[in-house]
Amino acid sequence: MVLALRKKSTGSDINFPDWFKEVAICYFDVGRQKATNESLQKEPVLKDFMGNTDGLVLNGFLFTPESGIESPGKLVFDGIDDYGEFNVPSREVLYYVLYKVDLLVLEKDTWQYLYNVNNVRNYLAYTSKFSTPTPNTLVSNGTLLSPRGNIQRVQHRGDSFMDFCTIGCRSNLVEYADIAFYGAIFLRGMITQDELEYCIKLLNGEI
């Protein structure tokens, strides 16, 4: 898989702590970027605030409220052909993914997948029109914990290597969720509870 080469983002004005700089592979944040449909039409990329990747390249979006920015900080994926993708410059060991999303459609009997790493799908929930959503308790190579509201943590095995990642639905993938995406942090190392709290505050715009 080859993505068009883009100039890497230059990082962030945030003074990240040293431990975060060491463990964060990449960090995307729709609100912190102040992304709008107009700005994303000109350059359909979510900035990597760590500056380690070329950003999350957006594809399939119409850049309307139903397929794009619905409100400040909220990027809606239509669950059909909206997706973002990024390459990792060097092969990384992936331990955690922290993501902040809302699941928009609950009335269908299906697994609702969120993203894939190296073509291994990771699901958000099982939903049914006859019951409340069943949270994801087992990912293909790890477990999902729910530390705070709509911020989720996926824990991967230490041998989960990462070359590229897709968030959303590429054309050859099915059962991807209709989501509102706010941000995500991909981490290469273990984190403590205090460090997790920092990441939660970061995704919530409290830092």
Side-chain angles (χ1 to χ4, degrees):
M1 177 180 304
V2 178
L3 298 179
L5 292 177
R6 295 176 180 268
K7 182 180 180 180
K8 288 186 180 181
S9 51
T10 56
S12 170
D13 294 333
I14 307 170
N15 185 20
F16 294 121
D18 289 341
W19 68 263
F20 188 77
K21 295 175 185 177
E22 291 176 3
V23 299
I25 299 171
C26 52
Y27 162 42
F28 308 110
D29 193 312
V30 181
R32 197 175 298 278
Q33 182 171 327
K34 296 181 172 60
T36 65
N37 285 321
E38 291 73 21
S39 67
L40 292 178
Q41 280 180 324
K42 294 178 182 177
E43 186 175 15
V45 179
L46 291 185
K47 174 182 179 178
D48 174 11
F49 282 92
M50 304 312 300
N52 293 328
T53 73
D54 294 328
L56 185 69
V57 182
L58 303 177
N59 295 274
F61 288 87
L62 300 177
F63 299 113
T64 65
E66 297 77 25
S67 173
I69 301 296
E70 181 187 275
S71 58
K74 184 176 182 179
L75 177 65
V76 173
F77 288 62
D78 65 8
I80 301 171
D81 61 357
D82 291 351
Y83 69 95
E85 201 158 43
F86 67 91
N87 281 339
V88 180
S90 59
R91 204 170 197 219
E92 293 276 8
V93 175
L94 178 65
Y95 278 89
Y96 290 128
V97 180
L98 279 161
Y99 54 87
K100 183 176 181 179
V101 298
D102 292 331
L103 185 60
L104 300 180
V105 178
L106 305 179
E107 303 80 15
K108 55 184 178 182
D109 297 303
T110 182
W111 296 106
Q112 298 216 37
Y113 291 91
L114 175 63
Y115 70 97
N116 77 80
V117 174
N118 299 348
N119 282 329
V120 177
R121 298 189 301 171
N122 295 268
Y123 65 91
L124 177 62
Y126 182 81
T127 58
S128 170
K129 58 189 175 185
F130 302 110
S131 64
T132 56
T134 302
N136 174 9
T137 55
L138 181 66
V139 187
S140 60
N141 57 354
T143 56
L144 177 77
L145 306 176
S146 183
R148 186 77 48 78
N150 61 348
I151 296 179
Q152 307 282 349
R153 176 173 69 172
V154 178
Q155 179 176 324
H156 294 261
R157 293 198 312 262
D159 60 354
S160 178
F161 286 102
M162 181 182 187
D163 299 305
F164 70 90
C165 178
T166 301
I167 300 173
C169 187
R170 250 184 314 129
S171 59
N172 62 333
L173 302 172
V174 296
E175 295 178 329
Y176 272 76
D178 300 62
I179 60 170
F181 176 83
Y182 301 90
I185 304 171
F186 289 77
L187 300 167
R188 63 171 65 91
M190 303 291 287
I191 55 175
T192 66
Q193 184 64 35
D194 287 344
E195 291 167 348
L196 174 61
E197 290 297 320
Y198 173 89
C199 292
I200 290 171
K201 290 179 179 179
L202 197 61
L203 286 171
N204 278 331
E206 299 170 16
I207 296 176

